[in-house]
Amino acid sequence: MLKGKHIILGITGSIAAYKAAYLLRLLIKQGAEVQVVMTPAGKEFITPVTLSSLSGKPVVSEFFTANTGEWHSHVDLGLWADAMIIAPATASTIGKMAHGIADNMLVTTYLSCKAPVFVAPAMDLDMYAHPSTRHNLDLLRSYGNHIIEPATGELASHLTGKGRMEEPENIVAVLDRFFERKQSLAGKTVLVTAGPTYEKIDPVRFIGNYSSGKMGFALAEACAEAGAEVVLVAGPVALKTGHPSIRRIDVESAAEMYRAAVEAYDHADAAIMCAAVADYAPETVSDVKLKRSGEERVLRLKPNPDIAAELGHRKRAGQYLVGFALETNDEESNARSKMAKKNLDFIVLNSLRDAGAGFRCDTNKVTVIGREGKPVEIPCKLKTEVAVDIVDLLARCMNEGR
Ligand code: CTP
């Protein structure tokens, strides 16, 4: 997949810079065209001569070439690239990228780059674990950048974090998979619902649930990365979206989510219903704050519309519908009956009995159940990775017309 791809390899001042030479060699071997851009500190760790002889191109490091005065255009480089990889990325470069401090050629190129950006951090463990670094990495993620951390997929080591740069072979594998997926939903529109709903009781109180929206946002991102136009209907969550192909509609209640989803599904090729929609809402909403009284109080609830079931009812030939089921018991049979009742093409089962799965965490472990065939188990990994797997399955169904 990397044959003929234009790749900018950014190298910064870390001891792991020597690994960048291996990475460069692997990229060239796969047929990519690579332009190396280094920070001044990067040159202290590995010589530009090594890198230019591997890439067959002069290394760019300064804004001007010293002897000729030729200007290196970061804008042209940013347009030329199909991808930019910064490996190793130090805490300092990550901080500069997160905050737009463009005082060298590498960060300037990053800011001009229209292509997807992959960042492989490398630093000592304390620096890596520092809240400032964690925050800056979160900012980069929210801009739509891909952070490649070692031991991705292995929960324990991911959480402890090693600060070590990911191995070059694995970085190439991530990139390869990225280009393979990139076109799988091209030309398609996908609706994703995410997060909880809030059902008002009075101006200051509501009925809600613990959904963080992380799984739904990761799905929206994965669909966009696969080339789809995404309509993300989001309940109240504290998450940002960065991808230009995601149109986000913020809603609060199940009724609002219903209206937005029904309208969007009309123009969509598929929908993924990931929101934790409240099944009931207070029958009446008080205009004024309810006062405390010594008496018992009864809150009467009325049923909310079932959004997934309504979309299942409206589903046209060639449209797809994916649901989620969060179960505590009789998981598979409950999930299968939801799939049938809501006319879903497949359902993603979350069991609250599994450690590292479900609400409020960054990881998930799910089983994907289709109408035919054996269920597919996706082992415990980051929600962003689970999302990619689910979108891969959806894209396969859609492209094969199953
Ligand atoms: N769903 C929906 N609208 C609702 C309730 C659920 O769109 N009002 C969707 C969810 O987004 C999910 C699927 O339906 O994709 C199953 O949700 P779940 O809460 O597990 O199912 P319910 O039908 O509410 O069944 P129960 O709460 O009784 O288990």
Side-chain angles (χ1 to χ4, degrees), residues 193 273-279 304-309 322-327 338 341-342:
T193 66
M273 314 305 286
C274 190
V277 186
D279 288 327
N304 272 333
D306 185 332
I307 306 169
V322 179
F324 272 69
L326 181 66
E327 305 293 339
K338 273 180 196 170
K341 207 172 81 194
K342 302 186 192 217

Side-chain angles (χ1 to χ4, degrees), residues 154-167:
E154 288 166 36
L155 176 62
S157 42
H158 174 77
L159 293 181
T160 49
K162 293 227 169 59
R164 177 171 56 81
M165 189 178 106
E166 179 56 293
E167 294 307 325

Side-chain angles (χ1 to χ4, degrees), residues 116 263 269 278 304 394:
E263 202 203 313
D269 299 289
N304 272 333
L394 173 64

Side-chain angles (χ1 to χ4, degrees), residues 190-214:
V190 181
L191 159 70
V192 179
T193 66
T197 62
Y198 284 180
E199 310 299 331
K200 263 198 171 126
I201 298 172
D202 71 12
V204 296
R205 302 182 182 93
F206 60 85
I207 299 174
N209 61 64
Y210 289 129
S211 169
S212 63
K214 283 181 181 161

Side-chain angles (χ1 to χ4, degrees), residues 101-123:
I101 301 169
D103 66 348
N104 62 38
M105 188 67 191
L106 191 153
V107 181
T108 316
T109 305
Y110 161 71
L111 290 177
S112 304
C113 187
K114 295 249 188 300
V117 177
F118 297 80
V119 181
M123 66 199 73

